[in-house]
Amino acid sequence: MLVKKLSVLCLVVMLSVAAMAQQLKGLSGRVTEKSGKPLGYVTVRVLNTNATVMSDGAGNFTIPGISPGKYDVEISHVGFTSITESVQVSENTGATFVFVLQDQAVQLEDI
């Protein structure tokens, strides 16, 4: 009898977790250069959370499981100026964005 009750309890917990995971749509998007060319291997970080990912070679990224709400997202890549953008993640659809990074001019010193 106890095993049966525990089995039912485990099933209810697993279904609840699965339902919650479906509600958390997440944040996705693409990172490009100013010219519109995809920028791969960019660090995308949701500030004040532990969520950090790197875009793929085509500049696409997905951060699953982000709760609905407003977040600041930092996008950075070597040779480009980092940006921080505020984004809104909706409950039903999540959020999809295109972020554009500007080249960062670097002055080299004479030897």
Side-chain angles (χ1 to χ4, degrees):
M1 184 70 173
L2 180 60
V3 172
K4 190 174 187 179
K5 287 182 180 181
L6 285 175
S7 296
V8 170
L9 179 62
C10 287
L11 179 63
V12 169
V13 170
M14 289 187 326
L15 290 174
S16 298
V17 170
M20 286 175 46
Q22 288 178 354
Q23 290 177 359
L24 302 178
K25 299 293 183 180
L27 174 66
S28 62
R30 185 173 191 191
V31 183
T32 68
E33 296 180 25
K34 184 178 178 181
S35 67
K37 179 181 173 186
L39 190 58
Y41 312 106
V42 175
T43 302
V44 180
R45 184 169 67 117
V46 181
L47 300 178
N48 300 315
T49 72
N50 292 328
T52 301
V53 297
M54 185 172 284
S55 68
D56 64 15
N60 300 307
F61 68 89
T62 300
I63 305 173
I66 300 292
S67 300
K70 187 174 182 179
Y71 297 93
D72 291 325
V73 178
E74 180 183 63
I75 301 91
S76 60
H77 188 54
V78 174
F80 292 83
T81 302
S82 296
I83 61 171
T84 302
E85 298 280 336
S86 291
V87 299
Q88 183 72 37
V89 176
S90 102
E91 184 174 333
N92 297 325
T93 59
T96 302
F97 297 93
V98 175
F99 297 104
V100 180
L101 292 183
Q102 303 281 337
D103 291 342
Q104 182 177 33
V106 177
Q107 175 101 21
L108 299 177
E109 293 181 19
D110 292 337
I111 297 179

